[in-house]
Amino acid sequence: MPPFVSAHRGAQYLAPENTLWAYRHAFAYGADTVEVDVRTSRDGVLFSLHDDTVDRTTDGEGAAATKTWAELSRLDAADFAPWAGGPYAGTRIPRLEEVLELAASVGGGVELDMKFVLDYPGLVRLVEQYGLTEHSYYAASGLGATGLRALDPDIRFIHNLSGSETPEDLHAQTAQSTVFGSRLDRFTAGNIAAIHDGCMLVVPHTYDEGPEVEAAQWELGRAIGIDGAQTDQPDVIRARQAAVDPRRRLPTQLVRGDGDTRVCLVNAFNRLGLPFLGLRWNGGEVRTGIDGCVDLPDDPAALQPRFDGSGALFPTRWSGA
């Protein structure tokens, strides 16, 4: 099977973390799942935010759990470096329903990292409502996993290695967990073999050493037998996959946007826009915006724009779509 890719907080080097833009871009580059940090507002709304407070990533202050959804929904979720004042300014914190709807619309899944959840039955029902139970994973173990499985026996879990487990421990854990994660350096040939003997997936982090070496971490992991990875850069990982197997490059398409001269570069499978990429026509060049779209100086049919491709993406030409 192709390598499994989960986007950590979305494609957070292309858009602000844990926002719908980050999740859209991750799926546009073919991620199988997106990792979502789930929290509960003071009035019971489930939403996506990593930190306990809103200070680091928004223009607000204070503990997220003490705020109502009305308060949270007014915050700018792109008010931090390098995004502040840029094209994502004004992006909002997404409700969990919005992320689930996006995942369901493209046939993807979600990886649920439950930072602060008060209503576990409500969370499980919401995932079921969007038909994502078989495509999603919960970061839970012990009594938490037992309680969730009592709510739905089909729930799948991620077990994050502590580094102290023996191969025998991990093989036993395959009766409870479908995916095994954590730092790449906590995986050895022996415990990878034990997890595979239990017919489960090894999907560690590849971002432990930072973005500059994440692709090297991916290749190191693949060399020792991992089945995929959780990544900060699904676009970079897609390009590395394609370097080994050109069939892993994603097909693209140029389609009309809103307006006579607007054209959008999209993933041909799920029609999600591909941002910050160059289009050419008759000697001219322009870059796509955050939605993968751009306004041309004339009708696309007259200009015949093209995308020359990248390591992760196949080229495409205007086809009149």
Side-chain angles (χ1 to χ4, degrees), residues 39-43 45-47 49 53-54 58-59 62-77 91-94:
R39 295 188 176 276
T40 308
S41 69
R42 193 175 76 194
D43 49 350
V45 174
L46 294 168
F47 62 95
L49 184 77
T53 74
V54 299
T58 80
D59 56 348
T66 66
K67 299 184 182 298
T68 66
W69 175 246
E71 293 171 317
L72 291 164
S73 66
R74 289 193 292 267
L75 299 177
D76 182 347
T91 294
R92 302 305 176 193
I93 295 171

Side-chain angles (χ1 to χ4, degrees), residues 234-253:
D235 53 327
V236 172
I237 299 305
R238 172 64 59 169
R240 286 302 176 104
Q241 291 181 57
V244 175
D245 180 359
R247 295 171 300 176
R248 298 296 292 159
R249 290 176 86 188
L250 288 167
T252 60
Q253 190 175 6

Side-chain angles (χ1 to χ4, degrees), residues 266-290:
V266 300
N267 175 321
F269 288 139
N270 58 32
R271 308 280 283 193
L272 289 175
L274 293 156
F276 315 129
L277 295 169
L279 305 184
R280 297 178 182 274
W281 77 92
N282 299 332
E285 185 172 359
V286 68
R287 294 181 73 79
T288 58
I290 60 175

Side-chain angles (χ1 to χ4, degrees), residues 88-102:
Y88 293 103
T91 294
R92 302 305 176 193
I93 295 171
R95 291 172 70 115
L96 180 60
E97 292 100 312
E98 295 177 281
V99 184
L100 298 178
E101 181 179 18
L102 171 65

Side-chain angles (χ1 to χ4, degrees), residues 171-192:
H171 188 269
Q173 185 63 36
T174 62
Q176 301 293 323
S177 302
T178 304
V179 173
F180 288 73
S182 195
R183 293 177 58 96
L184 179 62
D185 59 13
R186 291 178 179 170
F187 288 87
T188 65
N191 58 36
I192 290 174

Side-chain angles (χ1 to χ4, degrees), residues 3-314:
F4 182 89
V5 175
S6 178
H8 180 235
R9 308 184 201 176
Q12 62 170 305
Y13 283 92
L14 295 177
E17 66 179 61
N18 277 299
T19 64
L20 279 178
W21 283 118
Y23 297 134
R24 287 187 188 110
H25 296 344
F27 283 129
Y29 274 97
D32 298 286
T33 67
V34 292
E35 186 256 355
V36 185
D37 296 301
V38 185
R39 295 188 176 276
T40 308
S41 69
R42 193 175 76 194
D43 49 350
V45 174
L46 294 168
F47 62 95
S48 175
L49 184 77
H50 179 268
D51 296 3
D52 291 336
T53 74
V54 299
D55 299 45
R56 179 177 65 88
T57 58
T58 80
D59 56 348
E61 294 181 346
T66 66
K67 299 184 182 298
T68 66
W69 175 246
E71 293 171 317
L72 291 164
S73 66
R74 289 193 292 267
L75 299 177
D76 182 347
D79 192 54
F80 64 105
W83 313 110
Y88 293 103
T91 294
R92 302 305 176 193
I93 295 171
R95 291 172 70 115
L96 180 60
E97 292 100 312
E98 295 177 281
V99 184
L100 298 178
E101 181 179 18
L102 171 65
S105 72
V106 299
V110 292
E111 184 175 321
L112 297 156
D113 188 344
M114 294 164 289
K115 299 296 188 185
F116 180 68
V117 175
L118 300 177
D119 180 11
Y120 279 82
L123 172 61
V124 171
R125 285 195 301 270
L126 199 58
V127 174
E128 291 174 343
Q129 176 185 326
Y130 284 92
L132 293 174
T133 301
E134 294 183 359
H135 302 283
S136 301
Y137 305 85
Y138 291 77
S141 59
L143 290 176
T146 301
L148 284 165
R149 186 167 278 119
L151 294 169
D152 185 340
D154 294 326
I155 281 177
R156 301 192 295 178
F157 295 101
I158 307 163
H159 175 80
N160 287 309
L161 275 65
S162 67
S164 63
E165 298 95 339
T166 66
E168 291 76 18
D169 293 334
L170 293 172
H171 188 269
Q173 185 63 36
T174 62
Q176 301 293 323
S177 302
T178 304
V179 173
F180 288 73
S182 195
R183 293 177 58 96
L184 179 62
D185 59 13
R186 291 178 179 170
F187 288 87
T188 65
N191 58 36
I192 290 174
I195 295 165
H196 284 165
D197 283 347
C199 300
M200 297 304 171
L201 298 178
V202 177
V203 185
H205 306 162
T206 56
Y207 52 79
D208 295 325
E209 304 300 327
E212 295 79 9
V213 296
E214 185 168 351
Q217 287 280 291
W218 164 266
E219 291 178 350
L220 173 61
R222 290 293 286 165
I224 63 173
I226 67 173
D227 302 295
Q230 186 182 99
T231 173
D232 281 342
Q233 301 180 93
D235 53 327
V236 172
I237 299 305
R238 172 64 59 169
R240 286 302 176 104
Q241 291 181 57
V244 175
D245 180 359
R247 295 171 300 176
R248 298 296 292 159
R249 290 176 86 188
L250 288 167
T252 60
Q253 190 175 6
L254 286 167
V255 300
R256 284 192 184 274
D258 296 331
D260 293 339
T261 64
R262 194 163 181 79
V263 66
C264 303
L265 177 66
V266 300
N267 175 321
F269 288 139
N270 58 32
R271 308 280 283 193
L272 289 175
L274 293 156
F276 315 129
L277 295 169
L279 305 184
R280 297 178 182 274
W281 77 92
N282 299 332
E285 185 172 359
V286 68
R287 294 181 73 79
T288 58
I290 60 175
D291 57 357
C293 300
V294 66
D295 289 309
L296 300 178
D298 198 353
D299 188 304
L303 293 173
Q304 295 293 304
R306 72 180 189 274
F307 169 61
D308 290 340
S310 69
L313 304 168
F314 278 111

